[in-house]
Amino acid sequence: MAARSRAETMEKNRAKLITAARRAFAKTGYAAASMDELTAEVGLTRGALYHNFGDKRGLLAAVVNQIDAEMAERAHEAAALAQDEWEGLLIEGVAYIEMALDSEVQRIVLRDGPAVLGDPSQWPSQNNCLQATKRTVERLIGQGIMKPVDAEAAARLLSASALNAALWIAASEEPEKVLPKAVETFRALATGLRRP
């Protein structure tokens, strides 16, 4: 019973730290976020942060993973409303690109994430998205909807296109003007994979 209670407490502390970090990183950015203020806000010590995440970078990775998973879920939900799986694939990519307008996504996932954690294509959350896209591409190729190209290559290029479009929007001084260009071009690139 004590071990279960301890595990539950640790999980609650971890969730508190992620929630507080998410607020802090969204408000002030990774570099300016104070770990002392963050841990004090949730009534924990820096030791709890280090125990759960190793360091501030590890905490950012956990926050990025949480937000990225939410983004993938939102994109998947948008795709589920499509009339067919091909349109769903396009809608999912476009939904991901459009999320680059969200200030929290911009700052944490698309700016601070790559600056601190490195290449987003190497993040576990991005790999999960890639694998889901690959499965969709395999089905579309099997149904004769997509050209018979290598499924992994197609999935990687589609995922990279959406990610880089989102990065471009987040870095732009006029993201609302960049968005329609990015979406139109993403759709055109993806459509090149469709059988006539």
Side-chain angles (χ1 to χ4, degrees), residues 100-113:
L101 292 179
D102 180 292
S103 60
E104 181 185 56
V105 169
Q106 273 187 17
R107 175 167 252 167
I108 298 173
V109 176
L110 300 172
R111 290 187 188 148
D112 287 346

Side-chain angles (χ1 to χ4, degrees), residues 69-92:
E70 291 169 7
M71 292 171 69
E73 181 60 30
R74 285 169 45 196
H76 183 71
E77 287 171 2
L81 301 175
Q83 292 182 6
D84 59 50
E85 197 164 24
W86 169 257
E87 190 58 29
L89 178 69
L90 297 180
I91 288 171
E92 193 165 351

Side-chain angles (χ1 to χ4, degrees), residues 2-196:
R4 184 175 179 194
S5 177
R6 179 171 157 73
E8 288 172 355
T9 298
M10 288 177 60
E11 189 55 39
K12 284 180 183 175
N13 289 345
R14 183 176 169 79
K16 284 181 189 178
L17 288 165
I18 290 173
T19 299
R22 188 168 171 167
R23 272 195 309 270
F25 295 156
K27 183 178 178 183
T28 64
Y30 173 81
S34 164
M35 294 301 94
D36 288 331
E37 289 175 15
L38 187 147
T39 53
E41 176 187 325
V42 294
L44 297 170
T45 64
R46 282 186 83 136
L49 183 146
Y50 294 128
H51 175 75
N52 283 284
F53 303 102
D55 57 13
K56 185 178 180 181
R57 185 179 185 277
L59 181 56
L60 175 65
V63 171
V64 165
N65 189 55
Q66 183 182 71
I67 296 171
D68 219 10
E70 291 169 7
M71 292 171 69
E73 181 60 30
R74 285 169 45 196
H76 183 71
E77 287 171 2
L81 301 175
Q83 292 182 6
D84 59 50
E85 197 164 24
W86 169 257
E87 190 58 29
L89 178 69
L90 297 180
I91 288 171
E92 193 165 351
V94 168
Y96 187 89
I97 294 167
E98 289 173 339
M99 285 181 246
L101 292 179
D102 180 292
S103 60
E104 181 185 56
V105 169
Q106 273 187 17
R107 175 167 252 167
I108 298 173
V109 176
L110 300 172
R111 290 187 188 148
D112 287 346
V116 177
L117 304 174
D119 180 5
S121 70
Q122 302 301 309
W123 299 348
S125 56
Q126 287 291 317
N127 190 54
N128 293 338
C129 291
L130 173 64
Q131 294 309 314
T133 301
K134 182 181 174 195
R135 289 188 295 275
T136 301
V137 167
E138 288 169 341
R139 285 192 301 275
L140 290 169
I141 290 171
Q143 295 166 11
I145 295 169
M146 281 183 69
K147 294 175 182 174
V149 296
D150 182 85
E152 182 175 356
R156 284 186 178 278
L157 293 174
L158 287 167
S159 294
S161 296
L163 173 61
N164 279 289
L167 290 167
W168 176 35
I169 292 164
S172 172
E173 291 184 17
E174 297 181 295
E176 292 82 10
K177 288 186 178 180
V178 172
L179 176 66
K181 297 177 204 177
V183 167
E184 178 184 16
T185 305
F186 171 79
R187 282 184 164 274
L189 287 169
T191 301
L193 293 168
R194 187 169 187 173
R195 277 186 184 262

